[in-house]
Amino acid sequence: MRRISAATLVALGLALPSLVGTPAPAASFDCGRARTPDERAVCATPALSALDSEMGALWYAYSRFPLLMGASGARRDDAQAFLTARGACGTDAACLARLYEARIATLKEQVASAIGNLARQADADAPPAPPAPQPVIDRIAAFGRQCRELGGTLKGNAAPETMTGDLDRDGRPDYVLNSANLRCEGAATAFCANDGCTVAIALSSAGYAPLDLRGANPTLAQEGDATTLALWVDRFTCDGAKPGDACWSTWRWDGSALKASLAVHPQ
């Protein structure tokens, strides 16, 4: 089982504004200081503002991955080339949208590649790790979006603690995302409350579509040739639990789905 720390996945949970409802402010620059035609067009158009927010979050993530000196220079050159091209679009919304969409697609590829590179550097003896699947990257980003939508600001670690293991026994890694390390300043209950924190499970057999659970201290363990997930859950989930008791759910693959069993652990 490979554990990818928040430092490895730094900034992938950046706050992204909602893409519906009221117009979202641009994220890559301050709309209050917009001066050029392209900046004003982005700030005045909700769809372009949303694209700018998504691009800004991805750029923040990618800019914090360590790269070789030459690659770091190329990263800066790519960013400057985008700004130059955006300026050339002026107020042409269609031109700006095409430019943003292309830049977002490129940044997603670069972030996924950077995650794989850092995982290989962390464990040189392990086989090359594939990039995190897109649904997992999207779920990581959604934590940040949730914080922002509640009026908060993500501080410190911007990505959840991430563990991998073969929970569904298909020979491919599954992902467990634990939000307990995230701090949403201004919205303290964004991820955690009295019943625990959001813990997302992304199974390869389900196309990595995350299943959100509530609890604390998720732990992957081996039971013979099977991997299980143990999760502390609210005491009232377990029948007969008394004040001070702990209730644990253990998730095991039954051949077609993960199923939970509950057990009381007296204190």
Short mmCIF file of all heavy atoms in Angstrom, two decimals, residues 143-215:
data_model
loop_
_atom_site.label_atom_id
_atom_site.label_comp_id
_atom_site.label_asym_id
_atom_site.label_seq_id
_atom_site.Cartn_x
_atom_site.Cartn_y
_atom_site.Cartn_z
N PHE A 143 -12.79 19.44 -2.47
CA PHE A 143 -12.67 19.82 -1.07
C PHE A 143 -12.42 21.32 -0.95
O PHE A 143 -13.03 22.01 -0.12
CB PHE A 143 -11.52 19.05 -0.40
CG PHE A 143 -11.85 17.63 -0.04
CD1 PHE A 143 -11.25 16.57 -0.71
CD2 PHE A 143 -12.75 17.35 0.97
CE1 PHE A 143 -11.54 15.26 -0.39
CE2 PHE A 143 -13.05 16.04 1.30
CZ PHE A 143 -12.44 14.98 0.62
N GLY A 144 -11.53 21.84 -1.77
CA GLY A 144 -11.25 23.26 -1.74
C GLY A 144 -12.44 24.08 -2.17
O GLY A 144 -12.73 25.13 -1.61
N ARG A 145 -13.15 23.59 -3.20
CA ARG A 145 -14.33 24.31 -3.67
C ARG A 145 -15.39 24.37 -2.57
O ARG A 145 -16.05 25.40 -2.37
CB ARG A 145 -14.88 23.63 -4.91
CG ARG A 145 -16.09 24.34 -5.51
CD ARG A 145 -16.43 23.82 -6.88
NE ARG A 145 -16.80 22.41 -6.89
CZ ARG A 145 -16.05 21.45 -7.44
NH1 ARG A 145 -14.90 21.73 -8.01
NH2 ARG A 145 -16.45 20.19 -7.42
N GLN A 146 -15.55 23.28 -1.83
CA GLN A 146 -16.52 23.24 -0.74
C GLN A 146 -16.20 24.29 0.31
O GLN A 146 -17.09 25.00 0.80
CB GLN A 146 -16.52 21.85 -0.10
CG GLN A 146 -17.45 21.70 1.09
CD GLN A 146 -17.35 20.32 1.71
OE1 GLN A 146 -16.74 19.41 1.16
NE2 GLN A 146 -17.94 20.15 2.87
N CYS A 147 -14.92 24.43 0.66
CA CYS A 147 -14.50 25.43 1.64
C CYS A 147 -14.85 26.83 1.16
O CYS A 147 -15.43 27.63 1.90
CB CYS A 147 -13.00 25.30 1.89
SG CYS A 147 -12.27 26.60 2.92
N ARG A 148 -14.55 27.11 -0.10
CA ARG A 148 -14.79 28.46 -0.62
C ARG A 148 -16.28 28.77 -0.71
O ARG A 148 -16.72 29.87 -0.42
CB ARG A 148 -14.14 28.61 -1.98
CG ARG A 148 -14.39 29.97 -2.61
CD ARG A 148 -13.26 30.38 -3.48
NE ARG A 148 -13.50 31.68 -4.09
CZ ARG A 148 -12.62 32.32 -4.82
NH1 ARG A 148 -11.44 31.79 -5.04
NH2 ARG A 148 -12.89 33.49 -5.34
N GLU A 149 -17.09 27.78 -1.11
CA GLU A 149 -18.52 28.01 -1.23
C GLU A 149 -19.16 28.32 0.12
O GLU A 149 -20.21 28.96 0.19
CB GLU A 149 -19.19 26.80 -1.88
CG GLU A 149 -18.87 26.65 -3.36
CD GLU A 149 -19.41 25.37 -3.96
OE1 GLU A 149 -19.83 24.48 -3.18
OE2 GLU A 149 -19.41 25.25 -5.19
N LEU A 150 -18.53 27.84 1.20
CA LEU A 150 -19.02 28.13 2.55
C LEU A 150 -18.46 29.43 3.10
O LEU A 150 -18.69 29.78 4.26
CB LEU A 150 -18.67 26.97 3.49
CG LEU A 150 -19.41 25.65 3.22
CD1 LEU A 150 -18.85 24.54 4.09
CD2 LEU A 150 -20.90 25.81 3.46
N GLY A 151 -17.72 30.16 2.27
CA GLY A 151 -17.17 31.44 2.69
C GLY A 151 -15.83 31.35 3.39
O GLY A 151 -15.37 32.32 3.97
N GLY A 152 -15.19 30.18 3.34
CA GLY A 152 -13.91 30.00 4.02
C GLY A 152 -12.73 30.08 3.08
O GLY A 152 -12.88 30.24 1.85
N THR A 153 -11.54 29.96 3.65
CA THR A 153 -10.29 29.97 2.89
C THR A 153 -9.45 28.79 3.34
O THR A 153 -9.23 28.60 4.54
CB THR A 153 -9.50 31.27 3.13
OG1 THR A 153 -10.32 32.39 2.77
CG2 THR A 153 -8.23 31.28 2.30
N LEU A 154 -9.01 27.98 2.40
CA LEU A 154 -8.20 26.82 2.71
C LEU A 154 -6.81 27.25 3.11
O LEU A 154 -6.14 27.98 2.39
CB LEU A 154 -8.15 25.88 1.51
CG LEU A 154 -7.89 24.39 1.78
CD1 LEU A 154 -8.96 23.82 2.70
CD2 LEU A 154 -7.85 23.63 0.47
N LYS A 155 -6.35 26.82 4.28
CA LYS A 155 -5.05 27.21 4.80
C LYS A 155 -4.17 25.97 4.96
O LYS A 155 -4.66 24.87 5.19
CB LYS A 155 -5.19 27.90 6.16
CG LYS A 155 -5.99 29.20 6.12
CD LYS A 155 -5.24 30.28 5.37
CE LYS A 155 -5.97 31.60 5.42
NZ LYS A 155 -5.25 32.66 4.68
N GLY A 156 -2.85 26.19 4.92
CA GLY A 156 -1.92 25.09 5.14
C GLY A 156 -2.02 24.05 4.03
O GLY A 156 -2.04 24.38 2.84
N ASN A 157 -2.09 22.77 4.42
CA ASN A 157 -2.21 21.71 3.43
C ASN A 157 -3.47 21.90 2.62
O ASN A 157 -4.56 22.04 3.16
CB ASN A 157 -2.26 20.34 4.13
CG ASN A 157 -0.93 19.94 4.74
OD1 ASN A 157 0.11 20.26 4.20
ND2 ASN A 157 -0.98 19.26 5.86
N ALA A 158 -3.33 21.88 1.30
CA ALA A 158 -4.47 22.10 0.43
C ALA A 158 -4.97 20.82 -0.20
O ALA A 158 -5.85 20.85 -1.04
CB ALA A 158 -4.10 23.11 -0.66
N ALA A 159 -4.42 19.68 0.19
CA ALA A 159 -4.87 18.39 -0.32
C ALA A 159 -5.10 17.44 0.83
O ALA A 159 -4.38 17.49 1.84
CB ALA A 159 -3.83 17.81 -1.28
N PRO A 160 -6.09 16.57 0.74
CA PRO A 160 -6.35 15.62 1.82
C PRO A 160 -5.26 14.56 1.91
O PRO A 160 -4.55 14.31 0.93
CB PRO A 160 -7.69 15.00 1.42
CG PRO A 160 -7.70 15.09 -0.08
CD PRO A 160 -7.02 16.39 -0.39
N GLU A 161 -5.15 13.95 3.07
CA GLU A 161 -4.25 12.81 3.20
C GLU A 161 -4.76 11.69 2.30
O GLU A 161 -5.95 11.39 2.29
CB GLU A 161 -4.20 12.32 4.65
CG GLU A 161 -3.25 11.16 4.87
CD GLU A 161 -3.29 10.65 6.29
OE1 GLU A 161 -4.33 10.08 6.67
OE2 GLU A 161 -2.30 10.81 7.01
N THR A 162 -3.87 11.10 1.53
CA THR A 162 -4.28 10.14 0.51
C THR A 162 -3.57 8.82 0.73
O THR A 162 -2.35 8.77 0.91
CB THR A 162 -3.96 10.67 -0.90
OG1 THR A 162 -4.61 11.92 -1.07
CG2 THR A 162 -4.43 9.69 -1.96
N MET A 163 -4.35 7.73 0.74
CA MET A 163 -3.80 6.38 0.85
C MET A 163 -4.26 5.56 -0.35
O MET A 163 -5.34 5.82 -0.91
CB MET A 163 -4.28 5.70 2.14
CG MET A 163 -3.80 6.38 3.41
SD MET A 163 -4.38 5.52 4.91
CE MET A 163 -6.13 5.92 4.86
N THR A 164 -3.47 4.58 -0.74
CA THR A 164 -3.85 3.70 -1.83
C THR A 164 -3.72 2.25 -1.39
O THR A 164 -2.86 1.90 -0.59
CB THR A 164 -2.99 3.92 -3.09
OG1 THR A 164 -1.62 3.65 -2.78
CG2 THR A 164 -3.13 5.33 -3.61
N GLY A 165 -4.59 1.41 -1.90
CA GLY A 165 -4.57 -0.02 -1.64
C GLY A 165 -5.60 -0.68 -2.55
O GLY A 165 -6.50 -0.01 -3.08
N ASP A 166 -5.49 -1.98 -2.72
CA ASP A 166 -6.41 -2.69 -3.61
C ASP A 166 -7.60 -3.22 -2.82
O ASP A 166 -7.70 -4.41 -2.51
CB ASP A 166 -5.67 -3.83 -4.32
CG ASP A 166 -6.50 -4.48 -5.40
OD1 ASP A 166 -7.58 -3.94 -5.73
OD2 ASP A 166 -6.08 -5.54 -5.92
N LEU A 167 -8.55 -2.35 -2.53
CA LEU A 167 -9.72 -2.72 -1.75
C LEU A 167 -10.66 -3.65 -2.52
O LEU A 167 -11.29 -4.54 -1.93
CB LEU A 167 -10.48 -1.47 -1.30
CG LEU A 167 -9.83 -0.64 -0.20
CD1 LEU A 167 -10.47 0.75 -0.14
CD2 LEU A 167 -9.97 -1.33 1.15
N ASP A 168 -10.82 -3.45 -3.83
CA ASP A 168 -11.77 -4.24 -4.61
C ASP A 168 -11.12 -5.45 -5.29
O ASP A 168 -11.76 -6.12 -6.09
CB ASP A 168 -12.51 -3.38 -5.63
CG ASP A 168 -11.55 -2.65 -6.56
OD1 ASP A 168 -10.35 -2.97 -6.55
OD2 ASP A 168 -12.01 -1.75 -7.29
N ARG A 169 -9.85 -5.70 -5.00
CA ARG A 169 -9.15 -6.93 -5.40
C ARG A 169 -9.14 -7.15 -6.90
O ARG A 169 -9.26 -8.28 -7.38
CB ARG A 169 -9.77 -8.14 -4.68
CG ARG A 169 -9.84 -7.97 -3.18
CD ARG A 169 -10.40 -9.19 -2.47
NE ARG A 169 -9.48 -10.31 -2.56
CZ ARG A 169 -9.70 -11.50 -1.96
NH1 ARG A 169 -10.79 -11.67 -1.24
NH2 ARG A 169 -8.83 -12.48 -2.08
N ASP A 170 -8.95 -6.04 -7.65
CA ASP A 170 -8.86 -6.19 -9.10
C ASP A 170 -7.46 -5.93 -9.63
O ASP A 170 -7.25 -5.83 -10.84
CB ASP A 170 -9.87 -5.26 -9.80
CG ASP A 170 -9.55 -3.77 -9.60
OD1 ASP A 170 -8.62 -3.46 -8.81
OD2 ASP A 170 -10.23 -2.93 -10.21
N GLY A 171 -6.50 -5.80 -8.71
CA GLY A 171 -5.11 -5.60 -9.12
C GLY A 171 -4.75 -4.17 -9.44
O GLY A 171 -3.62 -3.89 -9.84
N ARG A 172 -5.70 -3.24 -9.25
CA ARG A 172 -5.44 -1.82 -9.52
C ARG A 172 -5.60 -1.03 -8.22
O ARG A 172 -6.39 -1.40 -7.34
CB ARG A 172 -6.41 -1.29 -10.58
CG ARG A 172 -6.22 -1.92 -11.95
CD ARG A 172 -7.23 -1.36 -12.94
NE ARG A 172 -8.60 -1.76 -12.60
CZ ARG A 172 -9.69 -1.26 -13.17
NH1 ARG A 172 -9.56 -0.30 -14.10
NH2 ARG A 172 -10.88 -1.69 -12.83
N PRO A 173 -4.85 0.08 -8.07
CA PRO A 173 -4.92 0.84 -6.81
C PRO A 173 -6.26 1.55 -6.65
O PRO A 173 -6.80 2.10 -7.61
CB PRO A 173 -3.77 1.85 -6.93
CG PRO A 173 -3.58 2.02 -8.40
CD PRO A 173 -3.86 0.68 -9.00
N ASP A 174 -6.78 1.52 -5.44
CA ASP A 174 -7.93 2.32 -5.05
C ASP A 174 -7.43 3.43 -4.13
O ASP A 174 -6.35 3.33 -3.55
CB ASP A 174 -8.97 1.45 -4.33
CG ASP A 174 -9.37 0.24 -5.15
OD1 ASP A 174 -9.73 0.43 -6.32
OD2 ASP A 174 -9.31 -0.89 -4.62
N TYR A 175 -8.23 4.48 -3.98
CA TYR A 175 -7.80 5.67 -3.25
C TYR A 175 -8.72 5.95 -2.08
O TYR A 175 -9.94 5.82 -2.19
CB TYR A 175 -7.77 6.90 -4.18
CG TYR A 175 -6.69 6.84 -5.23
CD1 TYR A 175 -6.82 6.02 -6.35
CD2 TYR A 175 -5.53 7.60 -5.12
CE1 TYR A 175 -5.83 5.96 -7.32
CE2 TYR A 175 -4.54 7.54 -6.08
CZ TYR A 175 -4.69 6.72 -7.17
OH TYR A 175 -3.70 6.65 -8.13
N VAL A 176 -8.11 6.34 -0.95
CA VAL A 176 -8.85 6.79 0.23
C VAL A 176 -8.37 8.20 0.54
O VAL A 176 -7.18 8.43 0.79
CB VAL A 176 -8.61 5.87 1.44
CG1 VAL A 176 -9.36 6.39 2.67
CG2 VAL A 176 -9.04 4.44 1.12
N LEU A 177 -9.29 9.16 0.52
CA LEU A 177 -8.97 10.58 0.74
C LEU A 177 -9.55 10.99 2.09
O LEU A 177 -10.77 10.97 2.28
CB LEU A 177 -9.56 11.45 -0.38
CG LEU A 177 -9.26 11.01 -1.82
CD1 LEU A 177 -10.00 11.92 -2.80
CD2 LEU A 177 -7.77 11.03 -2.09
N ASN A 178 -8.69 11.38 3.01
CA ASN A 178 -9.10 11.76 4.36
C ASN A 178 -8.95 13.27 4.53
O ASN A 178 -7.84 13.80 4.47
CB ASN A 178 -8.24 11.02 5.39
CG ASN A 178 -8.59 11.37 6.81
OD1 ASN A 178 -9.67 11.89 7.08
ND2 ASN A 178 -7.68 11.08 7.74
N SER A 179 -10.06 13.97 4.78
CA SER A 179 -10.05 15.43 4.85
C SER A 179 -9.64 15.97 6.22
O SER A 179 -9.64 17.19 6.42
CB SER A 179 -11.43 15.98 4.49
OG SER A 179 -12.39 15.62 5.48
N ALA A 180 -9.28 15.10 7.17
CA ALA A 180 -9.03 15.56 8.54
C ALA A 180 -7.90 16.57 8.64
O ALA A 180 -7.86 17.39 9.57
CB ALA A 180 -8.73 14.36 9.44
N ASN A 181 -6.94 16.52 7.70
CA ASN A 181 -5.81 17.44 7.78
C ASN A 181 -6.09 18.81 7.16
O ASN A 181 -5.27 19.72 7.23
CB ASN A 181 -4.59 16.83 7.09
CG ASN A 181 -4.78 16.73 5.59
OD1 ASN A 181 -5.79 16.22 5.12
ND2 ASN A 181 -3.80 17.18 4.82
N LEU A 182 -7.26 18.98 6.53
CA LEU A 182 -7.58 20.23 5.86
C LEU A 182 -8.14 21.24 6.86
O LEU A 182 -8.91 20.89 7.75
CB LEU A 182 -8.60 20.00 4.75
CG LEU A 182 -8.18 19.03 3.64
CD1 LEU A 182 -9.30 18.89 2.62
CD2 LEU A 182 -6.89 19.50 2.96
N ARG A 183 -7.75 22.50 6.69
CA ARG A 183 -8.23 23.56 7.58
C ARG A 183 -8.89 24.65 6.74
O ARG A 183 -8.24 25.33 5.96
CB ARG A 183 -7.07 24.15 8.39
CG ARG A 183 -7.50 25.24 9.37
CD ARG A 183 -6.40 25.49 10.40
NE ARG A 183 -5.16 25.94 9.79
CZ ARG A 183 -4.85 27.22 9.58
NH1 ARG A 183 -5.70 28.16 9.93
NH2 ARG A 183 -3.71 27.55 9.03
N CYS A 184 -10.20 24.79 6.93
CA CYS A 184 -10.97 25.79 6.19
C CYS A 184 -11.23 26.96 7.14
O CYS A 184 -12.15 26.93 7.95
CB CYS A 184 -12.28 25.20 5.68
SG CYS A 184 -13.27 26.36 4.70
N GLU A 185 -10.39 28.00 7.03
CA GLU A 185 -10.52 29.16 7.91
C GLU A 185 -11.77 29.96 7.54
O GLU A 185 -11.96 30.35 6.41
CB GLU A 185 -9.28 30.04 7.80
CG GLU A 185 -9.20 31.14 8.82
CD GLU A 185 -7.87 31.87 8.76
OE1 GLU A 185 -6.90 31.38 9.36
OE2 GLU A 185 -7.79 32.90 8.07
N GLY A 186 -12.63 30.19 8.54
CA GLY A 186 -13.87 30.89 8.30
C GLY A 186 -15.06 29.98 8.14
O GLY A 186 -16.20 30.43 8.12
N ALA A 187 -14.81 28.66 8.02
CA ALA A 187 -15.89 27.66 7.92
C ALA A 187 -15.36 26.38 8.53
O ALA A 187 -15.04 25.41 7.84
CB ALA A 187 -16.33 27.46 6.49
N ALA A 188 -15.25 26.37 9.85
CA ALA A 188 -14.55 25.30 10.57
C ALA A 188 -15.17 23.93 10.35
O ALA A 188 -14.48 22.91 10.45
CB ALA A 188 -14.51 25.62 12.06
N THR A 189 -16.47 23.86 10.08
CA THR A 189 -17.13 22.57 9.92
C THR A 189 -17.25 22.17 8.45
O THR A 189 -18.07 21.31 8.11
CB THR A 189 -18.52 22.59 10.56
OG1 THR A 189 -19.31 23.62 9.94
CG2 THR A 189 -18.43 22.86 12.05
N ALA A 190 -16.47 22.76 7.59
CA ALA A 190 -16.56 22.44 6.16
C ALA A 190 -16.31 20.96 5.90
O ALA A 190 -16.97 20.35 5.05
CB ALA A 190 -15.56 23.28 5.37
N PHE A 191 -15.37 20.36 6.60
CA PHE A 191 -15.00 18.97 6.36
C PHE A 191 -15.28 18.06 7.55
O PHE A 191 -15.51 16.87 7.37
CB PHE A 191 -13.51 18.88 6.01
CG PHE A 191 -13.08 19.85 4.95
CD1 PHE A 191 -12.12 20.82 5.22
CD2 PHE A 191 -13.64 19.82 3.69
CE1 PHE A 191 -11.72 21.72 4.25
CE2 PHE A 191 -13.26 20.72 2.70
CZ PHE A 191 -12.29 21.68 2.98
N CYS A 192 -15.23 18.59 8.76
CA CYS A 192 -15.33 17.77 9.96
C CYS A 192 -16.39 18.33 10.91
O CYS A 192 -16.60 19.54 10.96
CB CYS A 192 -13.99 17.69 10.70
SG CYS A 192 -12.64 17.00 9.70
N ALA A 193 -17.03 17.44 11.66
CA ALA A 193 -18.00 17.83 12.68
C ALA A 193 -17.96 16.76 13.77
O ALA A 193 -17.03 15.96 13.85
CB ALA A 193 -19.39 17.97 12.08
N ASN A 194 -18.99 16.73 14.63
CA ASN A 194 -18.99 15.78 15.74
C ASN A 194 -19.00 14.33 15.29
O ASN A 194 -18.59 13.43 16.03
CB ASN A 194 -20.20 16.04 16.65
CG ASN A 194 -20.09 17.35 17.40
OD1 ASN A 194 -18.99 17.86 17.60
ND2 ASN A 194 -21.22 17.91 17.80
N ASP A 195 -19.51 14.07 14.09
CA ASP A 195 -19.58 12.69 13.59
C ASP A 195 -18.35 12.32 12.77
O ASP A 195 -18.34 11.28 12.10
CB ASP A 195 -20.85 12.47 12.78
CG ASP A 195 -20.92 13.37 11.54
OD1 ASP A 195 -20.14 14.35 11.48
OD2 ASP A 195 -21.75 13.11 10.66
N GLY A 196 -17.30 13.12 12.79
CA GLY A 196 -16.08 12.81 12.08
C GLY A 196 -15.87 13.72 10.88
O GLY A 196 -16.47 14.79 10.77
N CYS A 197 -15.02 13.28 9.98
CA CYS A 197 -14.66 14.06 8.80
C CYS A 197 -15.07 13.31 7.54
O CYS A 197 -15.36 12.11 7.58
CB CYS A 197 -13.15 14.32 8.76
SG CYS A 197 -12.50 15.18 10.21
N THR A 198 -15.09 14.01 6.43
CA THR A 198 -15.39 13.36 5.16
C THR A 198 -14.21 12.49 4.74
O THR A 198 -13.07 12.94 4.70
CB THR A 198 -15.66 14.41 4.07
OG1 THR A 198 -16.79 15.19 4.45
CG2 THR A 198 -15.95 13.73 2.74
N VAL A 199 -14.50 11.24 4.45
CA VAL A 199 -13.51 10.29 3.95
C VAL A 199 -14.06 9.73 2.64
O VAL A 199 -15.12 9.09 2.64
CB VAL A 199 -13.23 9.15 4.94
CG1 VAL A 199 -12.25 8.14 4.35
CG2 VAL A 199 -12.69 9.70 6.26
N ALA A 200 -13.38 10.00 1.55
CA ALA A 200 -13.86 9.57 0.23
C ALA A 200 -13.09 8.33 -0.23
O ALA A 200 -11.87 8.27 -0.13
CB ALA A 200 -13.70 10.68 -0.80
N ILE A 201 -13.84 7.34 -0.71
CA ILE A 201 -13.25 6.11 -1.24
C ILE A 201 -13.48 6.10 -2.75
O ILE A 201 -14.62 6.24 -3.21
CB ILE A 201 -13.87 4.86 -0.62
CG1 ILE A 201 -13.75 4.88 0.90
CG2 ILE A 201 -13.22 3.60 -1.17
CD1 ILE A 201 -14.46 3.73 1.58
N ALA A 202 -12.42 5.93 -3.52
CA ALA A 202 -12.52 5.88 -4.98
C ALA A 202 -12.01 4.53 -5.46
O ALA A 202 -10.80 4.27 -5.42
CB ALA A 202 -11.72 7.02 -5.62
N LEU A 203 -12.93 3.66 -5.87
CA LEU A 203 -12.58 2.31 -6.30
C LEU A 203 -12.35 2.26 -7.81
O LEU A 203 -13.13 2.84 -8.58
CB LEU A 203 -13.69 1.33 -5.94
CG LEU A 203 -14.03 1.16 -4.45
CD1 LEU A 203 -15.18 0.18 -4.29
CD2 LEU A 203 -12.81 0.70 -3.66
N SER A 204 -11.31 1.54 -8.22
CA SER A 204 -11.04 1.41 -9.65
C SER A 204 -12.19 0.70 -10.35
O SER A 204 -12.53 1.04 -11.49
CB SER A 204 -9.73 0.64 -9.85
OG SER A 204 -9.79 -0.63 -9.20
N SER A 205 -12.82 -0.28 -9.68
CA SER A 205 -13.90 -1.03 -10.30
C SER A 205 -15.16 -0.19 -10.50
O SER A 205 -16.05 -0.58 -11.25
CB SER A 205 -14.25 -2.26 -9.45
OG SER A 205 -14.61 -1.87 -8.14
N ALA A 206 -15.23 0.96 -9.84
CA ALA A 206 -16.36 1.88 -9.99
C ALA A 206 -15.98 3.09 -10.82
O ALA A 206 -16.63 4.14 -10.74
CB ALA A 206 -16.88 2.31 -8.63
N GLY A 207 -14.90 2.99 -11.58
CA GLY A 207 -14.45 4.12 -12.39
C GLY A 207 -13.92 5.26 -11.55
O GLY A 207 -13.87 6.40 -12.01
N TYR A 208 -13.52 4.97 -10.32
CA TYR A 208 -12.98 5.95 -9.38
C TYR A 208 -14.00 7.02 -8.99
O TYR A 208 -13.61 8.08 -8.51
CB TYR A 208 -11.70 6.58 -9.91
CG TYR A 208 -10.55 5.60 -10.01
CD1 TYR A 208 -10.15 5.10 -11.25
CD2 TYR A 208 -9.90 5.16 -8.87
CE1 TYR A 208 -9.12 4.18 -11.34
CE2 TYR A 208 -8.86 4.22 -8.96
CZ TYR A 208 -8.48 3.75 -10.20
OH TYR A 208 -7.47 2.83 -10.29
N ALA A 209 -15.29 6.75 -9.20
CA ALA A 209 -16.31 7.68 -8.71
C ALA A 209 -16.31 7.63 -7.19
O ALA A 209 -16.57 6.58 -6.60
CB ALA A 209 -17.68 7.29 -9.26
N PRO A 210 -15.99 8.73 -6.50
CA PRO A 210 -15.79 8.67 -5.04
C PRO A 210 -17.08 8.41 -4.28
O PRO A 210 -18.15 8.92 -4.62
CB PRO A 210 -15.22 10.06 -4.70
CG PRO A 210 -14.72 10.61 -6.00
CD PRO A 210 -15.65 10.05 -7.04
N LEU A 211 -16.97 7.60 -3.24
CA LEU A 211 -18.04 7.37 -2.28
C LEU A 211 -17.64 8.08 -0.99
O LEU A 211 -16.60 7.77 -0.41
CB LEU A 211 -18.22 5.87 -2.02
CG LEU A 211 -19.10 5.47 -0.83
CD1 LEU A 211 -20.55 5.88 -1.07
CD2 LEU A 211 -18.99 3.97 -0.56
N ASP A 212 -18.46 9.03 -0.53
CA ASP A 212 -18.13 9.81 0.66
C ASP A 212 -18.69 9.14 1.91
O ASP A 212 -19.89 8.83 1.99
CB ASP A 212 -18.68 11.23 0.55
CG ASP A 212 -17.86 12.11 -0.38
OD1 ASP A 212 -16.85 11.61 -0.91
OD2 ASP A 212 -18.23 13.27 -0.59
N LEU A 213 -17.81 8.94 2.90
CA LEU A 213 -18.18 8.41 4.20
C LEU A 213 -17.90 9.48 5.25
O LEU A 213 -17.26 10.49 4.97
CB LEU A 213 -17.39 7.14 4.53
CG LEU A 213 -17.40 6.02 3.48
CD1 LEU A 213 -16.49 4.88 3.94
CD2 LEU A 213 -18.81 5.51 3.25
N ARG A 214 -18.37 9.25 6.48
CA ARG A 214 -18.07 10.14 7.60
C ARG A 214 -17.41 9.32 8.69
O ARG A 214 -17.88 8.23 9.05
CB ARG A 214 -19.33 10.79 8.15
CG ARG A 214 -20.02 11.74 7.20
CD ARG A 214 -19.26 13.02 7.00
NE ARG A 214 -19.24 13.86 8.18
CZ ARG A 214 -18.73 15.09 8.20
NH1 ARG A 214 -18.15 15.58 7.11
NH2 ARG A 214 -18.76 15.82 9.30
N GLY A 215 -16.33 9.83 9.24
CA GLY A 215 -15.65 9.13 10.31
C GLY A 215 -14.28 9.72 10.57
O GLY A 215 -14.00 10.86 10.19
#
